[in-house]
Amino acid sequence: MGGSVKELLAPEVWERGIEVSSAVDANALPVAEYTLAMILVANKRILPIARQYRAERAFIDQAQLGVVGNYRRRVGIVGASRIGRRVVELLRPFDLDVVLFDPTLTDDQIQALGVAPASLDQLCATCDVVSVHAPALPSTEGMLSRSLIDGMPPGATLINTSRGSIIDQDALVERVLCGDLYAVLDVTTPWVLPADHPFYEHPHVILTPHIAGSVGSEVDRMIDVEVAELRRIAAGEPLTHPVTLESLGTAA
């Protein structure tokens, strides 16, 4: 009933032949929906423009807003996880140029998802929005490094709904405080930032308390998924959402 079982169950569970089911797929959907919303809002510059309008309370010349909108903007997805793939699916109806980085997939496998492959350097250097969906593993800690963050185009937006450890947060703070980068963060390091952290008040930052995943009514979806699994067990049927021991090495 969550995004991961890694901290709940030891390998001995699988070694003893106990089957494990997870509602991780059900939890992936609201995260993907949150991400879609933030991508569209980021490219449209809705929040900073609304903030400016509220402050000035006067006519704002659209020609002076710079580049805004979602037509032919470039979006980079980091990680073809369950959530990353869901985001790719949700982006299909929009006129966006979507690229994907995932070192575990070949270029052909990435193209089969309907997006173009890109190196992480290329993705960060060329995308208007970069959205992080890689799992938190020793190999992904600090993956979005200072050089990659510094290389993002002025006016770009970095979205993170995965884990704060994947991003060099000190580098992100410095770049945001320079005034030319936006950040949408549902996760940070530490989990709750100190009360005096500049991200709470900075106009280029949307900071949410890890609500991209299932909350409120969305928890009911996870409940429905696991109740259905219990019914399958009672009927002697195989699980629809099994978790294998092998998957723990690459899963969130």
Side-chain angles (χ1 to χ4, degrees):
M1 286 287 295
S4 176
V5 302
K6 293 173 77 169
E7 297 180 359
L8 303 176
L9 302 176
E12 286 80 6
V13 170
W14 286 270
E15 291 168 2
R16 293 179 183 179
I18 298 172
E19 292 186 81
V20 179
S21 174
S22 172
V24 63
D25 286 313
N27 189 58
L29 180 55
V31 182
E33 291 172 342
Y34 173 104
T35 303
L36 170 65
M38 293 302 172
I39 290 171
L40 299 179
V41 165
N43 277 333
K44 195 74 171 178
R45 294 282 184 265
I46 289 175
L47 292 179
I49 292 171
R51 189 178 294 112
Q52 177 186 351
Y53 197 26
R54 182 170 63 248
E56 297 180 5
R57 306 188 183 195
F59 174 76
I60 294 178
D61 185 355
Q62 294 182 8
Q64 303 303 314
L65 295 176
V67 178
V68 298
N70 282 286
Y71 183 58
R72 292 182 177 174
R73 302 301 290 278
R74 188 170 172 87
V75 176
I77 305 299
V78 179
S81 59
R82 288 179 174 88
I83 297 169
R85 291 171 188 245
R86 285 277 189 139
V87 173
V88 167
E89 292 173 6
L90 293 178
L91 289 173
R92 285 201 179 104
F94 301 93
D95 292 315
L96 294 164
D97 178 15
V98 182
V99 297
L100 172 68
F101 166 77
D102 191 310
T104 69
L105 299 181
T106 66
D107 285 357
D108 287 344
Q109 289 171 322
I110 290 175
Q111 289 168 346
L113 298 175
V115 294
S119 69
L120 191 55
D121 287 347
Q122 293 170 333
L123 186 151
C124 290
T126 62
C127 286
D128 300 292
V129 177
V130 173
S131 190
V132 180
H133 303 288
L137 304 168
S139 60
T140 62
E141 185 171 350
M143 183 171 67
L144 267 291
S145 63
R146 177 176 295 275
S147 62
L148 293 174
I149 291 171
D150 289 346
M152 292 180 68
T157 299
L158 178 60
I159 300 173
N160 189 12
T161 59
S162 182
R163 288 293 184 269
S165 62
I166 298 174
I167 293 177
D168 184 333
Q169 189 165 286
D170 290 339
L172 180 61
V173 171
E174 291 178 22
R175 179 70 194 275
V176 167
L177 294 183
C178 288
D180 69 343
L181 190 73
Y182 295 82
V184 177
L185 305 174
D186 192 51
V187 287
T188 54
T189 303
W191 200 259
V192 179
L193 295 175
D196 61 350
H197 197 282
F199 276 178
Y200 285 113
E201 298 290 340
H202 200 282
H204 285 194
V205 178
I206 298 176
L207 198 61
T208 53
H210 198 51
I211 61 167
S214 299
V215 294
S217 65
E218 294 161 341
V219 175
D220 293 342
R221 181 188 287 114
M222 293 198 296
I223 293 172
D224 290 343
V225 165
E226 290 311 310
V227 168
E229 290 284 68
L230 292 172
R231 288 178 175 145
R232 290 186 190 95
I233 292 170
E237 299 172 356
L239 296 171
T240 299
H241 303 282
V243 179
T244 65
L245 180 59
E246 294 74 22
S247 70
L248 298 185
T250 57

